[in-house]
Amino acid sequence: MRTFFFSVIAMSFAASIMAEEEKTASAGRVSPQIGETTSEISPKNIEATIRKLVSFGTRHTLSDATSETRGIGAARRWIQSEFERYSKESEGTLEVTMDEFTQPPGERNPESVQVVNVIATLPGSQPESRDRMYVVSGHYDSRITDPMNATADAPGANDDASGVAAVMEMARVMSKWKWDATLVFMAVAGEEQGLFGSTHWAQMAKENGFNVAGMITNDIIGSSHTDDGRLDNKHVRLFAEGVPPVREVSDELRSMLQTGGENDSSARQLARFIKITAEKAVPGMTVNIIYRRDRYLRGGDHSPFLDAGFPAVRMTEPHEDFRHQHQDVRTENGVKFGDLPEFCDFEYVAQVARVNAAALGALALAPATPKEVKVETKELTNDTTLTWRANDEPDLAGYRVLWRETTADLWEQSVYARNVTRFTVQKISKDNYLFGVCAVDREGNVSPAVYPAPTR
Ligand SMILES: [Zn+2]
């Protein structure tokens, strides 16, 4: 009898471990909630938003802010009203705010100017995760050839009504669901005059100690054609910085460089996470990670976030046609110049929005990245022992240890470490591989990985 009970208990215990193992073994599967979300993203809504933003004539940061029909003021009030409409549809879960400030005179604004970011925040549903936020942005200001021309038509359909439309559609769709962590949907201004809006928000977040665990800017995601007319609607570029271009190297960064971790910055870990998650969730789309902060001669709203110490990346179409960006609207020798809706592919923008939503959803469902991740270097051994601080989410299942060749771009091997804070990978030497640790919840949602610092 006793033996029987013992074996039943042992069996059910083993079964529950196996069930947990199975889920965490399938870690990285697409959550059904993410599938529903991406399928609801509508190219029609995205097209309507881009055309509406273009209809304001110009959205130049120095343009008329008082008219109800033309200029940046009319544009932002419309974005605000749309966010408020989504909020009503989601029974008020989406919080709409105007982040308004005065930008003092500078190189591209001879007089001080009011800059307004339109923000919709979807607070996380898990108390332990609510302070962890993921930001997704597009910039609603626009420009033509002369960056100071605030009156001529500056349609900015691709740059960057496409990014704003993607962010707005994500806010509409994602606000119908619950996510553990907080999502911040942002339409910023002043990008073309010097990244004013994003700089203001990122600095404020840094000063207030906000836990911005990831940021994606969507800037120029509208066209699926090369400048010689070929179609490419299956790729998106993801610009991800490795080592930040700082004047003074912090101890943390120095330790990373000393151990060959230059490809394992938090931005690169975020990029790997986005690529793996989004490609699984959006069949047919390939995320091309580019090991670079941004393109030459260009900047974007992820930069102030990187400078503030947050992991941030940039999404941009695979090939740019410079006749359709920052150009006066005109025809020269039969060639049409200007950033017009006719050069946008709304289905393609929807695909990029789905890539974003899949990644953001997976991040916001997953536990936080483990903290204080260390690799023990007390003695010479060919095993690898990692330690970390325990996460505090109630639905945490455990941790997964990952590794790859030092020359590999993506994780190659992993082992589930259960709910422990110290784990040894036998016979795999830290001298020969790059390691990472991520947290896994009971549903199989996985955090991005963290590179370990050496400890004696
Ligand atoms: Zn732009």
Side-chain angles (χ1 to χ4, degrees):
M1 207 54 179
R2 182 172 284 177
T3 325
F4 173 75
F5 267 111
F6 177 76
S7 55
V8 167
I9 289 164
M11 273 164 66
S12 64
F13 181 63
S16 79
I17 284 187
M18 274 172 69
E20 185 175 294
E21 289 277 76
E22 244 169 62
K23 270 208 176 138
T24 44
S26 66
R29 94 220 186 291
V30 181
S31 150
Q33 180 169 339
I34 290 173
E36 300 262 0
T37 302
T38 53
S39 65
E40 234 198 278
I41 287 177
S42 150
K44 280 212 169 62
N45 285 347
I46 284 171
E47 173 173 3
T49 298
I50 292 175
R51 291 192 186 280
K52 181 69 184 181
L53 288 169
V54 169
S55 79
F56 295 108
T58 176
R59 304 184 307 277
H60 194 280
T61 299
L62 311 181
S63 64
D64 179 10
T66 57
S67 161
E68 279 310 312
T69 52
R70 187 179 174 85
I72 193 159
R76 70 176 161 246
R77 286 188 288 278
W78 178 76
I79 297 168
Q80 178 189 21
S81 71
E82 284 293 286
F83 276 152
E84 281 166 356
R85 181 164 71 84
Y86 311 155
S87 179
K88 273 199 199 93
E89 287 171 10
S90 71
E91 284 153 8
T93 49
L94 200 58
E95 296 166 1
V96 185
T97 53
M98 301 294 255
D99 171 36
E100 186 167 355
F101 62 97
T102 305
Q103 178 72 29
E107 212 179 306
R108 284 190 180 177
N109 60 315
E111 283 158 41
S112 65
V113 58
Q114 283 303 104
V115 177
V116 184
N117 299 322
V118 191
I119 298 173
T121 304
L122 185 63
S125 59
Q126 187 177 73
E128 292 80 1
S129 301
R130 193 168 294 140
D131 80 319
R132 175 163 46 98
M133 55 180 83
Y134 299 97
V135 177
V136 60
S137 81
H139 70 85
Y140 69 93
D141 61 311
S142 66
R143 60 165 282 192
I144 48 170
T145 308
D146 172 7
M148 302 304 291
N149 187 332
T151 53
D153 276 355
N158 191 358
D159 187 7
D160 182 32
S162 67
V164 174
V167 168
M168 289 170 67
E169 183 64 356
M170 279 185 259
R172 186 186 73 81
V173 167
M174 296 185 85
S175 59
K176 295 178 181 169
W177 297 87
K178 284 189 169 26
W179 310 91
D180 290 358
T182 294
L183 292 166
V184 183
F185 305 93
M186 213 179 267
V188 304
E191 197 272 353
E192 304 289 9
Q193 308 312 110
L195 312 178
F196 296 160
S198 52
T199 302
H200 179 261
W201 199 92
Q203 281 305 317
M204 179 278 296
K206 186 184 176 181
E207 280 158 23
N208 286 288
F210 282 13
N211 179 8
V212 181
M215 186 272 184
I216 308 174
T217 188
N218 286 272
D219 198 351
I220 310 178
I221 57 164
S223 166
S224 55
H225 284 80
T226 64
D227 59 8
D228 57 3
R230 285 173 294 123
L231 174 72
D232 179 359
N233 56 6
K234 306 234 176 308
H235 297 90
V236 62
R237 284 183 291 171
L238 184 65
F239 288 88
E241 181 172 272
V243 178
V246 287
R247 268 184 230 285
E248 300 216 347
V249 177
S250 65
D251 289 348
E252 193 188 346
L253 182 56
R254 189 188 309 278
S255 142
M256 199 167 213
L257 295 174
Q258 276 168 340
T259 55
E262 63 272 8
N263 193 11
D264 283 68
S265 65
S266 56
R268 289 274 165 86
Q269 305 289 16
L270 178 63
R272 274 182 201 109
F273 180 94
I274 293 171
K275 179 179 174 68
I276 297 300
T277 315
E279 288 182 358
K280 223 175 273 173
V282 191
M285 280 299 280
T286 299
V287 177
N288 290 129
I289 301 175
I290 302 203
Y291 288 166
R292 183 166 280 151
R293 175 180 276 221
D294 209 331
R295 302 103 74 233
Y296 285 101
L297 296 174
R298 309 297 288 270
D301 291 315
H302 58 316
S303 282
F305 283 78
L306 285 166
D307 292 339
F310 302 127
V313 291
R314 174 192 182 119
M315 295 252 186
T316 298
E317 63 197 28
H319 314 275
E320 288 170 88
D321 187 334
F322 300 111
R323 294 169 301 186
H324 305 152
Q325 295 176 18
H326 299 189
Q327 293 280 358
D328 296 345
V329 180
R330 66 194 190 279
T331 303
E332 261 177 37
N333 304 321
V335 178
K336 225 169 177 183
F337 287 79
D339 191 351
L340 298 163
E342 65 194 79
F343 302 122
C344 287
D345 176 341
F346 309 111
E347 292 279 348
Y348 176 74
V349 181
Q351 283 290 79
V352 178
R354 289 179 187 119
V355 164
N356 275 266
L360 290 162
L363 287 163
L365 287 177
T369 50
K371 302 293 180 287
E372 295 167 33
V373 180
K374 303 265 163 68
V375 56
E376 290 183 1
T377 59
K378 287 179 195 145
E379 54 195 29
L380 296 175
T381 157
N382 287 313
D383 296 337
T384 300
T385 298
L386 296 144
T387 62
W388 54 88
R389 199 179 78 204
N391 277 41
D392 60 4
E393 293 88 355
D395 58 341
L396 187 92
Y399 302 86
R400 187 167 278 279
V401 174
L402 313 148
W403 63 95
R404 64 183 205 274
E405 297 274 355
T406 60
T407 53
D409 49 358
L410 301 174
W411 298 111
E412 295 172 323
Q413 310 273 349
S414 75
V415 60
Y416 181 54
R418 303 223 177 120
N419 199 352
V420 296
T421 56
R422 185 171 186 273
F423 189 81
T424 299
V425 184
Q426 309 276 351
K427 310 231 179 284
I428 304 284
S429 170
K430 57 194 167 298
D431 297 335
N432 304 340
Y433 296 90
L434 291 163
F435 279 85
V437 181
C438 55
V440 189
D441 76 7
R442 289 199 286 264
E443 294 299 312
N445 298 303
V446 189
S447 77
V450 179
Y451 182 75
T455 184
R456 288 203 201 201

